[in-house]
Amino acid sequence: YSFLATRSEISISMSKEGRKTGKKLLATGSIRTVEKDDSVSRKNPVLYWFPGSFNSGKATLAMQLSSRSKDCTLKKILHMKDNYTPEYARLNPDTMAVPTLEIDDKVCTDSYDLCLYLMEHYPGSGDQALKKEDNKEEALLDWINLCSSWDEYMYTYGHQSQSQADMANSIRLFHLRKNLDTVLSDHPNDMNFLVDCYVTKIAGVTVMKRAMEEGTQKDNKMKENKLLLDQLLAKGNELLKKNGGKSFLFGEELTTGDVFFLPIFRIFALATPNMFEQVYTKYPKLKTYWEKAKKNIDVKQGLLDCVLPHRMIFTMFSHHVPFLLLSYKLGFMSAQPELPEEIEKRITELTKVKWDEVCAGE
């Protein structure tokens, strides 16, 4: 099976004016301003993340390259469970996911906004150098937007078996419903706000689960995903050809452009290693690019070291992941908490709306 599109497929795709890609499966966040206080999180940045998460990889690499890397606190959040507590929902009501960044008087709940905020306010040396060059910044933003249009979730979970994808999303739904049930029982002052957050997230994860079901819908989305990934790789190869033999996409130093591209290679390494041969055959410049990146100290510290086997094993055991998976397999999560009929109706209605959005353009 070829993960890359053929040249004829690319030509067809590129020739379609205003190609509709539908809605990405993962929720998108924002940047919001919060009231300043004297807590440590306001004096120093706090980044909530989890190793192996694609969007967390962008965030940790962006932070590593930024001028705030030395005073940032990294907090691991198990993104099938810990991010669904009421406390985390209050912090990140937009996506209830990782990454989330507290910095200055802002909370960034989307990796795209997070990376651009760091690039604008705390640029690393590569981004600083890029800003001094004519027309480079516009090209950088065009590249970032292209990268952001690719749906990593569809790629990663689409290449898993349906049982694996079902397990991850079923665990998510169990903990979401359990926390929502707790909120309804405890009646906190912000109960209505939290209920809205949970209803939205449960509907979103239900759609994610449905999108992984085998059939025509998944096949069409995977084909679309493959086409866009191939365009990304082709454009990356083209940028490397044009940069005069320099190591990275926009120069000799890493920039935010690389922040949005390199986590894709980490996905290949972790999930589909046979992808490398296909990519290097079709786009040879990318082989040298990845080999140089793997040796770069910032890439190691900001993207790769956290997914080394011994570190991943430690992370999984310290966050009780084996126990979580065993509980699911033994059926301890099969009994979903009963929610009020009115809440179930809201979830059902919103799920339909979100599913129609995902299928738009098919």
Side-chain angles (χ1 to χ4, degrees), residues 136-344:
K136 278 290 186 76
E137 196 168 6
E138 183 178 349
L140 172 65
L141 290 174
D142 287 343
W143 166 250
I144 288 172
N145 287 328
L146 176 63
C147 289
S148 296
S149 65
W150 181 63
D151 194 339
E152 166 273 335
Y153 177 87
M154 193 72 215
Y155 178 88
T156 302
Y157 282 83
H159 287 104
Q160 292 181 356
S161 67
Q162 186 168 333
S163 62
Q164 288 176 311
D166 277 349
M167 179 172 65
N169 286 319
S170 294
I171 291 172
R172 291 185 174 105
L173 287 170
F174 174 82
H175 288 288
L176 280 163
R177 296 176 73 92
K178 182 180 176 182
N179 279 290
L180 174 52
D181 185 53
T182 299
V183 167
L184 291 169
S185 300
D186 292 349
H187 288 86
N189 292 333
D190 57 350
M191 186 180 77
N192 290 337
F193 166 77
L194 289 173
V195 169
D196 288 345
C197 293
Y198 282 107
V199 167
T200 300
K201 187 65 178 180
I202 291 170
V205 175
T206 303
V207 166
M208 289 161 58
K209 189 171 184 286
R210 184 176 174 184
M212 292 301 108
E213 294 175 358
E214 300 296 339
T216 304
Q217 184 279 144
K218 180 180 176 182
D219 292 342
N220 289 341
K221 287 295 181 183
M222 287 298 294
K223 182 178 180 181
E224 185 180 274
N225 186 275
K226 180 175 69 171
L227 289 169
L228 185 51
L229 174 61
D230 203 274
Q231 291 169 28
L232 269 177
L233 297 170
K235 182 62 176 179
N237 195 67
E238 180 186 334
L239 287 171
L240 291 166
K241 281 182 179 179
K242 290 180 177 179
N243 74 359
K246 293 175 182 174
S247 297
F248 300 111
L249 292 174
F250 291 91
E252 199 56 48
E253 294 186 270
L254 290 161
T255 68
T256 302
D258 301 289
V259 164
F260 279 81
F261 196 41
L262 287 171
I264 296 175
F265 290 79
R266 191 178 73 173
I267 290 180
F268 295 163
L270 295 176
T272 54
N274 55 333
M275 185 68 166
F276 283 114
E277 184 178 352
Q278 295 181 45
V279 171
Y280 295 159
T281 299
K282 198 168 184 181
Y283 304 117
K285 288 287 183 183
L286 298 182
K287 181 175 183 178
T288 305
Y289 172 75
W290 178 235
E291 293 301 320
K292 286 183 177 179
K294 288 192 294 183
K295 296 175 183 176
N296 182 278
I297 186 64
D298 287 322
V299 175
K300 287 181 179 180
Q301 293 181 0
L303 186 67
L304 298 180
D305 285 355
C306 65
V307 295
L308 290 172
H310 67 283
R311 292 196 176 183
M312 284 298 290
I313 291 171
F314 175 80
T315 296
M316 293 303 174
F317 275 93
S318 63
H319 285 77
H320 311 294
V321 173
F323 175 77
L324 190 69
L325 299 180
L326 182 61
S327 297
Y328 172 79
K329 289 182 177 292
L330 291 176
F332 295 143
M333 298 183 191
S334 58
Q336 298 283 339
E338 268 191 50
L339 300 173
E341 184 178 344
E342 182 267 335
I343 299 294
E344 293 287 9

Side-chain angles (χ1 to χ4, degrees), residues 60-77:
T60 51
L61 183 54
M63 181 58 74
Q64 178 68 28
L65 297 182
S66 78
S67 58
R68 295 301 301 271
S69 61
K70 302 301 182 186
D71 61 354
C72 180
T73 299
L74 299 179
K75 291 188 177 182
K76 290 179 186 174
I77 296 291

Side-chain angles (χ1 to χ4, degrees), residues 28-85:
T28 55
S30 62
I31 296 180
R32 72 177 189 275
T33 302
V34 294
E35 190 175 332
K36 286 189 177 182
D37 56 39
D38 295 326
S39 66
V40 174
S41 64
R42 292 298 172 261
K43 291 179 181 177
N44 298 310
V46 179
L47 177 59
Y48 301 83
W49 69 298
F50 196 76
S53 154
F54 176 74
N55 288 320
S56 286
K58 288 189 286 186
T60 51
L61 183 54
M63 181 58 74
Q64 178 68 28
L65 297 182
S66 78
S67 58
R68 295 301 301 271
S69 61
K70 302 301 182 186
D71 61 354
C72 180
T73 299
L74 299 179
K75 291 188 177 182
K76 290 179 186 174
I77 296 291
L78 178 58
H79 63 328
M80 289 190 294
K81 178 176 178 282
D82 299 340
N83 52 313
Y84 300 141
T85 64

